[in-house]
């Protein structure tokens, strides 16, 4: 056993795994908190929707597209001054969360917009006919009806975040990605590389499984 | 109850609905029939302003719908129930939660909602399915949930948007019966749109016929159905009777003598008139086509016969004197 994993410091792997989980959890919560309202707004201001506002939609859509088209590794660097102002450092777990959120919140917002578009227009019309206000339609109809789609979107977002946290490792965020790059890649310690990659793979598998189960439980169609 | 004054609608430069005037009385079942794209859906949706007319005025119970602000509109909509072709139930909510939804929107207390929901589900005959989700129900059951939901806030008007078009004939009949009951028992004013004359014939008191955005004919169902004046109406009636127009014309062309169509309404439908008139006037008759059916609750019969020999004029007068409508068929 020791022969195979000679370079692996298990305590360090444990710490790195914990860092990755904290980065993932923190940025997922923040991405949903920002992306959900943004996605709802995108949906509502879209063409032939409840609050159709073509100018607002065009601006929001443009910002989302810019953030999504920016390669994440560039975003990490561009964000450094802003991150320092926001959390006091651009390093470590805390320094990684702002760029992770800015990178994934627009992505999640698009998924939210798409999930809401899947809601039957007839159901929205029926709610209007019952005298529902836009607020009541959003909270009472759109979000509950789109819940399976929203959970599926959150799952995809979480998995995208896993690979982003690995990339954030490059600029000193810590976590499993950081180990993989510093030891596995730069020092040719293949065993460290294998262990970190397997752990990331397991993490992704668990997230997908959990997400799928939740979607299946919430689907009433 | 509902009044249209010069209401019209334009979509992207084309006129979907030409200016029309129409008045729907309190407590009646009013049908609007037309092909898809005839403008009936726009007409229906202008009543609760789900679609806003481009011009003209719509009044519901005295209130000018076209002039209401958002709050006024929401209040009005709670007085107008609506059901749909595809039911439009919330898939994520149970039957009971769906029916409770409009009451929750109106901010009613929980206990009152539960009691009202139970009452409504019993009224439409689906109390046993209260905790199921819409996906577990048949089409007819879903429409009953839709009806219960539309009735929740005790509306004065019920709008039906092709409410039976997605249902099989048997289920259609049971849903139409339910609508008829609600109309009688709750004094509910019902406006329904459909492309099937049969639906109009079974439940409506009055009907309007829309063709390419124009109101071409309106009146009591018996008048419009038995004596259609407009070509579009005539075709709807033939469809309802499952008659092929060309075949019928060919059959009539082969008949000898004077061909007339007799229309009996009410009790006259069951009187043995034909034989009596034939004996009295000495004419021979040959029945070419006929049907006996009901318009809502009134029985009617329509016979197309060829008369020859004897005193045809006397025979025709005798029919007319017995209250039978006589029409020459070319």
């Amino acid at each position: 056993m020791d022969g195979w994993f000679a370079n692996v410091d298990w305590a360090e792997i444990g710490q790195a795994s914990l860092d990755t989980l904290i980065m993932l959890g923190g940025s997922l919560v923040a991405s949903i908190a920002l992306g959900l309202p943004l996605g709802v707004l995108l949906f509502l201001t879209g063409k032939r929707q409840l609050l159709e506002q073509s100018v607002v939609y065009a601006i929001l859509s443009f910002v989302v597209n810019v953030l999504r088209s920016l390669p994440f590794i560039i975003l990490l660097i561009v964000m450094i001054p802003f991150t320092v102002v926001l959390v006091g450092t651009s390093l470590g777990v805390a320094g990684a969360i702002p760029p992770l959120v800015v990178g994934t919140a627009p992505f999640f917002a698009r998924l939210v917009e798409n999930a809401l578009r899947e809601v039957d227009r007839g159901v929205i019309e029926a709610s209007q006919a019952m005298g529902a206000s836009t607020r009541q339609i959003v909270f009472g109809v759109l979000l509950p009806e789109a819940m399976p789609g929203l959970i599926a979107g959150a799952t995809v977002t979480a998995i995208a975040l896993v690979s982003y946290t690995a990339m954030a490792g490059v600029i000193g965020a810590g976590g499993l990605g950081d180990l993989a790059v510093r030891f596995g890649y730069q020092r040719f310690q293949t065993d460290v590389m294998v262990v970190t990659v397997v752990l990331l793979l397991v993490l992704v598998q668990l997230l997908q499984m959990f997400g799928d189960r939740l979607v299946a439980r919430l689907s009433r169609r | 109850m509902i009044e249209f004054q010069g209401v019209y609608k334009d979509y992207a430069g084309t006129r979907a609905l030409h200016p029309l005037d129409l008045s729907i009385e309190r407590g009646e079942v009013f049908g609007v029939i037309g092909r898809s794209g005839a403008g009936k859906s726009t007409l229906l949706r202008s009543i609760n302003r789900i679609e806003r007319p481009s011009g003209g005025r719509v009044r519901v119970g005295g209130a000018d719908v076209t002039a209401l602000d958002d709050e006024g509109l929401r209040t009005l909509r709670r007085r107008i129930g609506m059901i749909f072709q595809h039911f439009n139930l919330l898939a994520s909510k149970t039957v009971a939660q769906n029916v409770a939804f409009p009451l929750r929107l109106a901010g009613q207390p929980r206990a009152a909602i539960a009691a009202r929901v139970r009452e409504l589900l019993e009224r439409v005959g689906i109390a046993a399915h209260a905790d199921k989700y819409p996906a577990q129900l048949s089409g007819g059951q879903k429409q009953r949930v839709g009806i219960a939901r539309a009735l929740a806030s005790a509306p004065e008007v019920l709008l039906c948007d092709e409410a039976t078009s997605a249902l099989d004939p048997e289920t259609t009949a049971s849903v139409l019966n339910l609508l008829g009951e609600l109309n009688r028992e709750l004094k509910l004013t019902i406006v329904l749109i459909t492309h099937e004359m049969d639906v109009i014939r079974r439940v409506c008191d009055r009907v309007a016929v829309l063709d390419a955005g124009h109101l071409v004919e309106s009146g009591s169902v018996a008048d419009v159905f038995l004596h259609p004046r407009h070509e579009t109406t005539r075709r709807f009636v033939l469809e309802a009777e499952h008659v092929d127009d060309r075949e019928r014309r060919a059959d009539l062309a082969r008949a000898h003598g004077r061909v007339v169509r007799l229309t009996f309404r009410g009790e006259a439908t069951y009187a043995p008139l034909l034989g009596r008139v034939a004996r009295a006037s000495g004419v021979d008759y040959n029945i070419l086509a006929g049907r006996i059916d009901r318009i809502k609750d009134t029985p009617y019969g329509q016979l197309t016969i060829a008369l020859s020999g004897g005193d045809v004029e006397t025979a025709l007068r005798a029919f007319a004197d017995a209250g039978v409508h006589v029409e020459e068929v070319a």
Side-chain angles (χ1 to χ4, degrees):
Chain A
M1 203 61 187
D2 270 358
W4 285 12
F5 295 110
N7 303 310
V8 178
D9 177 345
W10 292 103
E12 196 159 12
I13 292 277
Q15 182 58 46
S17 301
L18 195 63
D19 286 351
T20 291
L21 287 177
I22 293 170
M23 268 192 283
L24 175 65
S27 47
L28 184 62
V29 168
S31 292
I32 290 174
L34 284 176
L36 188 65
L38 182 59
V40 170
L41 207 58
L42 273 170
F43 172 77
L44 291 177
T45 56
K47 214 171 168 56
R48 289 198 307 279
Q49 301 298 350
L50 291 168
L51 304 175
E52 181 172 352
Q53 287 287 339
S54 47
V55 176
V56 175
Y57 181 81
I59 293 171
L60 288 177
S61 187
F62 180 72
V63 171
V64 164
N65 285 346
V66 165
L67 290 175
R68 283 191 57 195
S69 60
L70 214 59
F72 184 63
I73 193 84
I74 308 282
L75 186 70
L76 277 171
I77 295 160
V78 172
M79 283 280 296
I80 288 175
F82 177 70
T83 305
V84 171
V85 170
L86 203 68
V87 293
T89 172
S90 69
L91 297 175
V93 171
I97 289 180
L100 285 171
V101 172
V102 172
T104 50
F107 174 64
F108 183 61
R110 266 307 175 212
L111 296 178
V112 169
E113 184 195 4
N114 287 339
L116 296 179
R117 279 197 191 154
E118 291 295 311
V119 175
D120 188 354
R121 289 192 73 88
V123 174
I124 298 172
E125 191 186 31
S127 320
Q128 284 180 299
M130 286 182 253
S133 63
T134 302
R135 219 186 93 93
Q136 287 174 319
I137 291 176
V138 169
F139 290 101
V141 180
L142 285 173
L143 295 179
E145 288 290 290
M147 197 49 84
L150 295 176
I151 300 290
T155 307
V156 172
T157 305
I159 288 170
L161 270 172
V162 171
S163 80
Y164 282 3
T165 59
M167 234 189 282
V170 175
I171 62 149
L176 290 168
D178 179 39
L179 281 191
V181 171
R182 277 195 294 130
F183 295 91
Y185 179 67
Q186 289 166 348
R187 297 187 196 168
F188 304 104
Q189 292 175 353
T190 311
D191 48 357
V192 177
M193 177 78 93
V194 168
V195 169
T196 52
V197 168
V198 166
L199 284 173
L200 289 172
L201 186 86
V202 168
L203 183 57
V204 167
Q205 280 290 340
L206 286 175
L207 284 170
Q208 187 67 55
M209 234 170 62
F210 179 71
D212 286 349
R213 289 216 176 150
L214 210 54
V215 169
R217 258 191 55 181
L218 289 169
S219 293
R220 302 291 185 193
R221 285 180 194 283
Chain B
M1 185 76 213
I2 302 168
E3 232 168 311
F4 296 88
Q5 295 166 335
V7 173
Y8 66 93
K9 174 82 179 182
D10 295 332
Y11 280 115
T14 56
R15 186 145 288 190
L17 195 62
H18 292 265
L20 62 80
D21 298 302
L22 200 61
S23 180
I24 297 169
E25 305 300 323
R26 190 178 289 276
E28 76 173 334
V29 183
F30 192 94
V32 179
I33 188 168
R35 307 269 174 222
S36 55
K40 54 192 191 302
S41 169
T42 301
L43 184 68
L44 189 77
R45 281 167 174 67
S46 68
I47 297 173
N48 57 0
R49 220 175 85 189
I50 294 288
E51 278 186 42
R52 200 183 192 129
S54 305
R57 231 175 254 289
V58 180
R59 285 177 194 281
V60 176
D64 185 347
V65 177
T66 29
L68 290 174
D69 61 7
D70 284 1
E71 188 50 48
L73 189 60
R74 281 199 291 276
T75 313
L76 174 94
R77 283 173 176 171
R78 292 189 183 135
R79 287 168 44 210
I80 303 178
M82 189 166 185
I83 58 174
F84 304 86
Q85 177 172 10
H86 298 297
F87 325 119
N88 297 351
L89 302 175
L90 294 154
S92 60
K93 291 183 165 58
T94 64
V95 165
Q97 288 166 341
N98 264 284
V99 177
F101 191 60
L103 301 171
R104 277 183 39 216
L105 291 179
Q108 293 204 11
R110 216 169 257 276
I113 292 179
R116 176 80 177 135
V117 167
R118 213 169 309 121
E119 178 194 334
L120 286 160
L121 291 180
E122 261 158 40
R123 181 70 196 74
V124 301
I126 42 164
H129 305 298
D131 296 322
K132 287 189 180 166
Y133 286 89
Q136 298 167 280
L137 303 180
S138 71
Q141 290 167 335
K142 284 184 205 170
Q143 196 56 289
R144 282 167 188 272
V145 179
I147 292 171
R149 181 177 69 175
L151 294 178
S153 51
E156 298 151 66
V157 178
L158 179 65
L159 308 179
C160 308
D161 177 14
E162 296 272 9
T164 57
S165 299
L167 303 176
D168 61 58
E170 202 177 319
T171 315
T172 294
S174 77
V175 168
L176 291 180
N177 284 340
L178 177 60
L179 291 179
E181 270 173 48
L182 297 172
N183 165 249
R184 282 191 302 276
E185 291 167 20
L186 308 176
K187 309 273 178 267
L188 193 64
T189 306
I190 298 181
V191 185
L192 65 84
I193 64 174
T194 180
H195 61 273
E196 291 171 306
M197 200 60 177
D198 225 34
V199 169
I200 302 279
R201 184 176 65 77
R202 280 197 239 183
V203 287
C204 293
D205 299 303
R206 289 197 305 142
V207 61
V209 183
L210 282 184
D211 183 43
H214 292 276
L215 175 67
V216 295
E217 196 165 344
S218 71
S220 84
V221 172
D223 288 343
V224 173
F225 189 76
L226 296 176
H227 311 295
R229 290 194 305 270
H230 193 270
E231 182 53 29
T232 304
T233 320
R234 233 175 55 79
R235 259 178 297 162
F236 276 123
V237 171
L238 289 173
E239 266 168 37
E241 296 180 342
H242 306 289
V243 173
D244 183 288
D245 199 22
R246 267 180 307 179
E247 273 175 31
R248 173 178 274 190
R249 279 172 202 274
D251 288 347
L252 295 185
R254 287 215 308 271
H256 298 289
R258 285 209 18 215
V259 180
V260 293
R261 178 158 56 233
L262 307 178
T263 305
F264 310 74
R265 281 199 218 173
E267 285 311 303
T269 310
Y270 302 119
L273 191 64
L274 206 51
R276 210 155 56 204
V277 171
R279 279 193 302 278
S281 61
V283 296
D284 275 330
Y285 63 87
N286 179 23
I287 298 178
L288 303 170
R291 81 187 259 122
I292 293 178
D293 215 324
R294 274 167 186 275
I295 292 173
K296 208 168 183 186
D297 305 316
T298 312
Y300 76 92
Q302 234 170 9
L303 276 182
T304 306
I305 57 175
L307 297 170
S308 53
D311 189 349
V312 173
E313 289 307 323
T314 306
L316 293 181
R317 225 172 304 122
F319 284 128
D321 289 346
V324 173
H325 181 96
V326 182
E327 238 174 316
E328 297 267 353
V329 180

